């Protein structure tokens, strides 16, 4: 966050709409545009492992990044046959602004003469609907439902509406007990400040809210969809009668929810009341995500890994001495990020995020730290300054990752060569400037001195030592 490449060019989206990508390392926030590294072939950066499937937008692949060996999911979009340019740039631009552990992460984009490629984090746990068939009781499922509403709460506070929330877009990071929920499928997502009509034929009708059929939608429309998902998974049924599309739309528009089947009768009273509070015709009468997260049904879901005194002390003391070091360390965490590795940090983040808004405030730090016997009232401004790199007034998930990463472990030689492109152990400073932007030349001059650069090249060993010495743990 805040470490964008400086050599970017803006290219407007042409008509007919196709995604436009131009060369750079990291994205800027510009409307109707995409940015990417220009390659001759995707195989310069990634080894394609297998195809996952195709849709109207393009083809999804599992791919291994050549340098780091980390598995990612890559979407390939043909420049000349795809007509889904608007959806592509919309998903890309929205996801690069979201930073939450329960929302799919986007890493980078590439352009070749024939295709565009967008790189996402790899999720392997299948859909929540598939997982629910293996869960033993409601309490296990409520954990994932809590993560779903936490992610929606964050999205809505960032001014984003998903617009097409349904079971296939609610997936799990891994197939083990440490899996965390991820919302995907943002091709129809919209900014509240820039809403456009929804094309009904592009959404899952069964999960759409009544107002959507009148070309009206708000954050409460997402909440309705989440309520239908809960009903569907808990009861193994749909809340509206099966039949033609017209019949389904009519039932939804009249809010004719089936509460009299055996599936609904079998769930707990708390779950019934939760669903009934959501599936209300008037959007204004539906609870917000913040209100829903206080529902007693989520009690077991709020159990997280507690913040200890030593961990609180580590966070309070953490400091990165230079902007260059901070941006390079952020780059390392993004390149080596995997779902399994992030699991513990995600739970620590949830322990600090007391109001489930997807970010950590000054008051939340004071509250949680005081509970473990650490009074940081005099140091809180120092802590926030050290961790809140984008000066938003809050600590975001990615910002907390920097403080909680085990840097002595991450900054080993074997990891450095997985992250940074080198030639015979030497790294070009021009290459590092592509990764780190908006840095004064005076800072680069000091960097050259501290890393003992020669002929604009530094050794991996010297870069590693520089980064270690830049961190105050």
């Amino acid at each position: 966050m805040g470490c964008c490449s400086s050599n970017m060019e803006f290219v407007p989206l042409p008509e007919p709409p196709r995604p436009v990508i131009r060369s750079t390392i990291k994205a800027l926030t510009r409307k109707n545009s995409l940015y990417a590294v220009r390659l001759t072939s995707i195989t310069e950066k990634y080894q394609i492992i297998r195809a996952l499937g195709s849709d109207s937008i393009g083809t999804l692949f599992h791919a291994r990044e050549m340098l780091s060996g980390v598995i990612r999911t890559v979407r390939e979009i043909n420049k000349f046959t795809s007509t889904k340019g608007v959806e592509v740039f919309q998903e890309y631009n929205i996801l690069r602004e979201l930073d939450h552990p329960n929302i799919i992460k986007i890493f980078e984009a590439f352009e070749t003469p024939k295709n565009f490629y967008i790189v996402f984090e790899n999720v392997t746990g299948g859909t929540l609907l598939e997982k629910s068939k293996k869960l033993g009781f409601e309490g296990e499922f409520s954990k994932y439902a809590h993560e779903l509403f936490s992610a929606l709460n964050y999205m809505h506070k960032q001014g984003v509406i998903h617009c097409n929330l349904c079971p296939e877009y609610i997936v799990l990071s891994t197939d083990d007990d440490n899996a965390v929920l991820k919302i995907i499928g943002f091709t129809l997502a919209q900014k509240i400040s820039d809403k456009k009509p929804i094309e009904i034929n592009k959404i899952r009708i069964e999960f759409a809210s009544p107002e959507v059929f009148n070309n009206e939608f708000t954050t409460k429309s997402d909440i309705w969809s989440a309520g239908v998902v809960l009903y569907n998974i808990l009861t193994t049924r749909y809340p509206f009668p099966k039949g033609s599309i017209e019949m389904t739309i009519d039932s939804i528009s009249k809010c004719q929810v089936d509460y009299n089947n055996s599936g609904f009768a079998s769930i707990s009273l708390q779950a019934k009341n939760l669903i009934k509070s959501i599936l209300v015709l008037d959007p204004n009468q539906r609870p917000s995500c913040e209100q829903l997260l206080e529902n007693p049904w989520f009690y077991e879901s709020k159990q997280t890994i507690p913040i200890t005194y030593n961990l609180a002390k580590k966070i309070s003391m953490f400091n990165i001495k230079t902007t260059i070091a901070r941006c390079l360390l952020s780059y390392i965490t993004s390149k080596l990020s995997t779902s399994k590795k992030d699991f513990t940090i995600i739970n620590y983040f949830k322990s600090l995020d007391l109001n489930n808004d997807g970010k950590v405030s000054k008051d939340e730090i004071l509250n949680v730290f005081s509970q473990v016997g650490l009074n940081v009232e005099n140091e809180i401004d120092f802590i926030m300054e050290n961790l809140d790199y984008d000066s938003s007034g809050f600590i975001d998930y990615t910002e907390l990752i920097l403080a909680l990463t085990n840097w002595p472990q991450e900054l080993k030689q074997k990891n450095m060569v997985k992250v940074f492109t080198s030639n015979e152990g030497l790294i070009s400073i021009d290459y590092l400037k592509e990764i780190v932007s908006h840095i004064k030349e005076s800072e680069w001059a000091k960097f050259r001195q501290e890393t003992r650069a020669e002929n604009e090249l530094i050794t991996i060993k010297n870069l590693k030592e520089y980064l270690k010495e830049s961190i105050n743990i």
Side-chain angles (χ1 to χ4, degrees), residues 411-426:
L411 292 177
K412 288 188 174 180
Q413 187 85 2
K414 63 178 183 180
N415 285 338
M416 296 292 285
V417 298
K418 289 179 180 180
V419 173
F420 298 105
T421 300
S422 61
N423 184 10
E424 297 183 352
L426 296 174

Side-chain angles (χ1 to χ4, degrees), residues 238-278:
Y238 289 107
F240 303 100
K242 288 185 177 180
S244 65
I245 292 177
E246 292 76 14
M247 184 184 298
T248 301
I249 291 175
D250 184 63
S251 297
I252 294 173
S253 299
K254 295 175 180 176
C255 200
Q256 295 174 337
V257 184
D258 178 12
Y259 291 128
N260 298 316
N261 61 75
S262 59
F264 190 78
S266 68
I267 65 178
S268 69
L269 179 61
Q270 286 182 336
K272 289 176 183 174
N273 291 338
L274 179 68
I275 291 171
K276 286 182 176 180
S277 74
I278 295 173

Side-chain angles (χ1 to χ4, degrees), residues 82-94:
S82 176
T83 59
K84 304 291 184 178
V86 171
E87 286 93 337
V88 171
F89 94 75
Q90 190 161 276
E91 178 177 53
Y92 181 85
N93 285 340
I94 283 178

